[in-house]
Amino acid sequence: MTTDTTDTLQDDLFEPVSAWWLSGTPLEPEHHRLMRRRLTPIVWADTTAAELSPAERSRLAETWTRRSAAEYLAVSTFAVLAIDLVAAGAPADVLSLCMRAGIDEVRHAELCLRMIEIYSGKRLQPPPGMSSLPDDPERPKLHQALANTLLVSCVSETYATTVLTATRDLTKDPVAHAVLTSIYSDEVMHARLGWSYLRYALERGGQGAIDAAAAMVPVALRGVANVVERERPIGVVTDKVRDHGLMTPAEERVIYSACVREVLVPGFEALGIPCGNANQDYGDAWAHAA
Ligand SMILES: [Fe+2]
Ligand SMILES: [Fe+2]
């Protein structure tokens, strides 16, 4: 390794801003290599956070705190999904991408913690916890794997890509824009993983697989809707707050409704999965209920 390369790598290291970040063991260099896998350089010093009022900074810090918790939980989501996929005998490329998705989520949590520090000065840890996925030992492993993949990857991650795209489009702060871009580029692959495995499983699983997928569709759609409908942190979404990557709950409803209508339902139906009343359930009335 040349000196230049070493310098570049050193420059690329994120400054740890949380006790959660590093174990203080020999794992640290290997962890940095994993985290740098598809590094989008982020020039943290370019942040325009100093131009915000205390209330605006607090609103953004609280939002990134929630995002950090969600990204941290997503680490466990992909770990549990990997167990389902292994149990179902999923192909190696599906398994490796699922495991890599978990690593991506570790990095996303790190990015969120960094953003919390930028807006609040606080060096937080994500709250411990883990997500659980539906688990029925009686059902065929293929059915459980495809249903949970549909839930996690096809619905949640596909929605994440649509809302991240829209959020990124309104973001003017260069650091927030770079962070959202970095996360977005991973979430696209997390969604692609799900749609690819779903097609693979349906081609092998016959009517039983289609039924298992169809039963999960309303559950998965409701799961994301619950997140979209959730109360938000206190504080007005001012124009400046928008510039830092935040939209209103009303805007998010419209985006989710469009995602259901234009992406999720057409995608599932193209694979032969009936979607029931999804388009009505999340149609105009739901989109404008906030
Ligand atoms: Fe993520
Ligand atoms: Fe993800």
Side-chain angles (χ1 to χ4, degrees):
M1 188 181 285
T2 66
T3 307
D4 283 343
T5 310
T6 307
D7 288 347
T8 305
L9 293 181
Q10 289 298 329
D11 289 346
D12 285 343
L13 293 180
F14 298 162
E15 180 200 352
V17 293
S18 165
W20 170 69
W21 205 295
L22 296 171
S23 59
T25 71
L27 297 178
E28 290 183 12
E30 191 58 31
H31 173 69
H32 283 307
R33 267 192 286 279
L34 281 170
M35 294 300 105
R36 276 200 305 267
R37 185 180 52 79
R38 276 191 286 134
L39 183 70
T40 309
I42 297 169
V43 185
W44 299 103
D46 285 353
T47 179
T48 59
E51 298 168 11
L52 300 169
S53 71
E56 289 168 330
R57 291 172 72 119
S58 160
R59 180 71 172 82
L60 286 157
E62 190 55 40
T63 295
W64 284 101
T65 300
R66 292 191 181 194
R67 288 175 180 169
S68 74
E71 299 287 1
Y72 179 77
L73 270 187
V75 180
S76 68
T77 306
F78 280 106
V80 176
L81 183 61
I83 294 172
D84 283 334
L85 290 167
V86 170
D93 54 2
V94 174
L95 294 178
S96 68
L97 279 167
C98 182
M99 306 295 275
R100 197 183 79 184
I103 293 172
D104 293 337
E105 305 297 2
V106 173
R107 195 168 61 83
H108 297 175
E110 288 185 343
L111 290 168
C112 292
L113 292 173
R114 185 66 192 239
M115 294 300 274
I116 297 167
E117 201 233 4
I118 281 176
Y119 292 113
S120 71
K122 291 183 187 150
R123 299 189 158 202
L124 301 182
Q125 300 206 24
M130 66 172 282
S131 54
S132 61
L133 294 176
D135 182 20
D136 178 1
E138 302 301 319
R139 73 195 307 204
K141 301 297 185 199
L142 183 78
H143 294 182
Q144 176 150 323
L146 77 88
N148 284 343
T149 299
L150 186 155
L151 170 71
V152 168
S153 191
C154 300
V155 172
S156 293
E157 295 283 345
T158 300
Y159 173 64
T161 64
T162 58
V163 76
L164 276 167
T165 307
T167 306
R168 207 174 59 123
D169 284 349
L170 60 83
T171 303
K172 296 192 181 128
D173 175 75
V175 170
H177 193 274
V179 168
L180 291 169
T181 300
S182 178
I183 294 176
Y184 166 79
S185 67
D186 291 331
E187 310 295 24
V188 169
M189 186 53 73
H190 300 177
R192 192 175 296 163
L193 156 73
W195 290 99
S196 301
Y197 180 70
L198 189 59
R199 193 185 74 180
Y200 170 93
L202 291 174
E203 283 171 356
R204 282 154 185 79
Q207 189 59 43
I210 289 179
D211 293 345
M216 182 53 90
V217 167
V219 178
L221 294 179
R222 179 40 35 207
V224 173
N226 287 343
V227 174
V228 176
E229 292 169 0
R230 193 175 294 161
E231 284 299 309
R232 296 303 197 278
I234 295 168
V236 183
V237 180
T238 61
D239 286 347
K240 278 189 178 174
V241 166
R242 289 173 71 79
D243 291 348
H244 283 252
L246 201 56
M247 57 176 61
T248 64
E251 288 172 298
E252 283 185 36
R253 275 181 176 255
V254 171
I255 290 167
Y256 183 54
S257 176
C259 177
V260 170
R261 185 178 60 253
E262 296 169 15
V263 183
L264 297 176
V265 168
F268 291 138
E269 288 182 344
L271 291 170
I273 303 166
C275 292
N277 297 323
N279 279 336
Q280 293 89 312
D281 291 348
Y282 304 102
D284 277 350
W286 184 88
H288 300 289

